[in-house]
Amino acid sequence: IQEAITKLHSQDVHPTSVTVAHRLATITSHDMIFVIAQGQLVESGKHAELVNQKNVYHAMLSLENLV
């Protein structure tokens, strides 16, 4: 899946895409990340911004040993 996403985004045309990911490594390079918990939007931003906030997204990355 990651390879297909990378190929799609490397083309001259940059489509809008929505990715639902359970493995967070899949989305770290996306332009905007939305974190939804219990049906509510709890955070949004770029990967680096969300990591620096050390809230829900950061905790999720920690569970996957990605920070």
Side-chain angles (χ1 to χ4, degrees):
I1 292 176
Q2 182 63 42
E3 185 179 328
I5 291 170
T6 301
K7 184 177 180 181
L8 180 66
H9 286 276
S10 68
Q11 297 174 359
D12 289 336
V13 177
H14 295 284
T16 299
S17 61
V18 176
T19 306
V20 177
H22 294 278
R23 294 185 64 235
L24 298 177
T26 303
I27 61 166
T28 58
S29 65
H30 283 46
D31 294 331
M32 182 64 73
I33 298 169
F34 296 93
V35 181
I36 299 172
Q38 298 180 346
Q40 300 292 317
L41 176 64
V42 294
E43 292 180 320
S44 64
K46 294 184 177 286
H47 170 77
E49 296 168 345
L50 295 174
V51 169
N52 290 333
Q53 290 175 11
K54 296 188 177 178
N55 290 321
V56 177
Y57 183 73
H58 185 273
M60 293 167 62
L61 288 171
S62 295
L63 291 173
E64 293 187 20
N65 297 316
L66 296 174
V67 287

